[in-house]
Amino acid sequence: EKIADLSFLEVLDLSDNDIKGEIPIEIGLLSKLIRLRLPYNGFIGSMPELGNSPDLKLIQLHGNRISGTIPKLNWVITDPSSFVTDCGNPSDFDQSLVCEECTMCCNAQGDCHSQKETDIQKVGIDDYTRFSWIFFACLLGVLCALALSLFAYDKYWTNRHVLRESIRRPSLTERDNKYALNAIGEGSVYQFFLGKSWLGWTIALATIGIQIFMLFVFVDGAEIDLSDDKTDLVYTWKCPRDQSNCEDKADLDWKGWAVFAILMAAHLLKDIINGSKMIVLSGKERHDRHARIRFFSGGTLLTSVSLFTLFVSTIYNMAIATSNTEIIMNSVVILFINDVDELFYETLVVINSRWVEGMSWEKGDDGKD
């Protein structure tokens, strides 16, 4: 009760003293308080109101057993060390401490993570899952617009002085078919998109669905929700007992991201370029409507899966990679998903090679549109 008599107290630092019991509600009456440090004690119960301390610039309550919800203070200071509590996961309680305004959340292991809006939250998107669907919708719209523009250009500009008979020469269409097969991959189930077999298309679409499903597992793991114990988010910050500044202990630096960029380019750039070229082929007037649909579908899906793999690898490593070696290992695991189409194709060939040939462009279409 005598704490309330310290009306001019500006700094209250009782950190690491093994003090037990509830936090005195009288602390909330200290109108001149600027710094409140109570970490690494045995405080229990809830946090009292601090609305009578408008000059507070530092609140640190981590390393205790405070539960419930931290009262709102209209906190506007963005320094990561300015408002620290045990609002992270895993927690010592079934429900972790709720603190919407905290700048740093620590968990039961003493590891911490800064609590701030992600880039997508700043533009009004709640999580990466929703952003992923927006990404797919925007990508599909862009690719459709690109294909239509190329078709219009090819029809009304490039070929306006060329005879239609010469445009649709069998040699040109056959050359494009062979080029598309080479681009999409002869050893991949994606090649079934170039054929006319509905079963082949079903297998190829199912493979795409499996790959996207597997990638979404990593999207869920990358979600930055400090109240959710199911994400793979790694807490890399430490708030030492002997100082008020928290530090990020992650060892990931520019060298790790440079290797990441090299890996992504080496594994994905070819597919992105080939998929884009197939979309360009879908805009050629010399192909009939069914051929253009096959080229567009194969190119769009090949490009989309590759770009989505790049997106997932980036956000997942931003969430959990703590060292240069970790970012490499994480990237290799995610890139393996991009090879599932080839592995499925090899499995189908082992089961029945003639059946596979019947669904492919070479046998199913015989090089003709």
Side-chain angles (χ1 to χ4, degrees):
E1 295 181 0
K2 293 183 179 181
I3 293 178
D5 296 332
L6 304 174
S7 57
F8 291 97
L9 185 66
E10 295 183 352
V11 178
L12 179 58
D13 189 341
L14 301 175
S15 57
D16 202 14
N17 278 292
D18 199 29
I19 302 174
K20 294 179 172 61
E22 296 187 355
I23 299 176
I25 60 174
E26 289 78 12
I27 288 180
L29 302 176
L30 301 176
S31 59
K32 301 294 183 180
L33 195 62
I34 297 176
R35 295 169 61 88
L36 175 62
R37 294 197 71 235
L38 304 177
Y40 300 109
N41 284 293
F43 288 116
I44 60 173
S46 59
M47 179 66 195
E49 295 279 351
L50 296 173
N52 293 323
S53 305
D55 297 327
L56 270 172
K57 291 181 173 57
L58 180 74
I59 303 175
Q60 294 186 342
L61 307 172
H62 54 290
N64 289 286
R65 295 180 60 81
I66 302 172
S67 58
T69 302
I70 300 293
K72 289 190 175 182
L73 301 171
N74 296 319
W75 196 260
V76 295
I77 301 174
T78 58
D79 182 270
S81 305
S82 61
F83 196 170
V84 188
T85 67
D86 295 320
C87 51
N89 273 289
S91 172
D92 288 329
F93 303 95
D94 289 337
Q95 294 291 332
S96 60
L97 181 67
V98 177
C99 183
E100 296 181 3
E101 297 180 325
C102 283
T103 58
M104 186 77 67
C105 287
C106 300
N107 59 24
Q109 281 83 41
D111 301 317
C112 308
H113 195 285
S114 61
Q115 181 171 250
K116 59 182 180 181
E117 283 188 324
T118 62
D119 292 335
I120 62 171
Q121 288 172 339
K122 291 177 181 178
V123 297
I125 303 174
D126 294 334
D127 50 46
Y128 286 124
T129 300
R130 182 172 300 179
F131 179 81
S132 297
W133 292 116
I134 296 174
F135 166 84
F136 275 121
C138 292
L139 182 60
L140 181 60
V142 169
L143 295 179
C144 286
L146 175 62
L148 291 174
S149 299
L150 291 170
F151 177 75
Y153 176 81
D154 189 69
K155 181 174 182 179
Y156 297 108
W157 181 258
T158 304
N159 298 323
R160 63 180 179 174
H161 300 304
V162 182
L163 294 176
R164 185 168 298 274
E165 290 76 11
S166 63
I167 292 174
R168 295 202 171 186
R169 290 203 309 267
S171 60
L172 289 177
T173 56
E174 185 175 349
R175 183 197 66 184
D176 289 347
N177 284 333
K178 291 180 179 180
Y179 177 84
L181 179 62
N182 181 66
I184 205 167
E186 293 186 54
S188 166
V189 294
Y190 291 172
Q191 70 154 293
F192 297 155
F193 286 123
L194 303 180
K196 296 180 180 179
S197 168
W198 285 106
L199 179 58
W201 271 68
T202 301
I203 292 174
L205 288 172
T207 302
I208 292 279
I210 291 171
Q211 288 176 299
I212 292 176
F213 170 77
M214 295 170 71
L215 288 170
F216 263 104
V217 172
F218 289 92
V219 172
D220 292 338
E223 296 289 5
I224 302 178
D225 184 356
L226 302 182
S227 63
D228 187 359
D229 194 22
K230 296 180 180 179
T231 68
D232 296 340
L233 183 67
V234 176
Y235 289 56
T236 60
W237 288 71
K238 287 289 187 180
C239 297
R241 295 173 179 266
D242 59 345
Q243 63 184 52
S244 60
N245 290 327
C246 301
E247 300 176 348
D248 188 356
K249 298 296 185 179
D251 296 324
L252 179 61
D253 58 25
W254 68 269
K255 289 179 287 186
W257 284 109
V259 175
F260 168 82
I262 294 171
L263 283 173
M264 293 296 112
H267 285 80
L268 301 178
L269 189 58
K270 181 187 72 172
D271 287 343
I272 294 172
I273 294 174
N274 283 334
S276 301
K277 287 183 175 180
M278 288 185 65
I279 294 172
V280 171
L281 285 179
S282 72
K284 298 295 183 180
E285 191 191 3
R286 59 175 170 262
H287 300 292
D288 63 23
R289 178 167 54 90
H290 296 292
R292 290 198 298 269
I293 291 174
R294 294 197 295 271
F295 288 155
F296 178 77
S297 300
T300 297
L301 292 171
L302 180 62
T303 303
S304 299
V305 170
S306 299
L307 289 174
F308 190 51
T309 301
L310 174 61
F311 166 73
V312 172
S313 299
T314 302
I315 63 170
Y316 190 74
N317 280 303
M318 289 174 63
I320 79 158
T322 61
S323 67
N324 294 336
T325 53
E326 275 191 17
I327 193 173
I328 296 172
M329 291 187 291
N330 295 338
S331 302
V332 170
V333 171
I334 297 176
L335 285 172
F336 179 77
I337 296 174
N338 219 48
D339 295 333
V340 167
D341 56 294
E342 297 176 2
L343 297 174
F344 280 3
Y345 181 83
E346 293 173 1
T347 301
L348 291 174
V349 170
V350 171
I351 294 174
N352 192 325
S353 60
R354 290 189 177 182
W355 180 51
V356 172
E357 290 175 356
M359 293 185 293
S360 69
W361 167 79
E362 292 175 298
K363 295 296 183 182
D365 286 337
D366 198 28
K368 298 179 183 179
D369 290 325

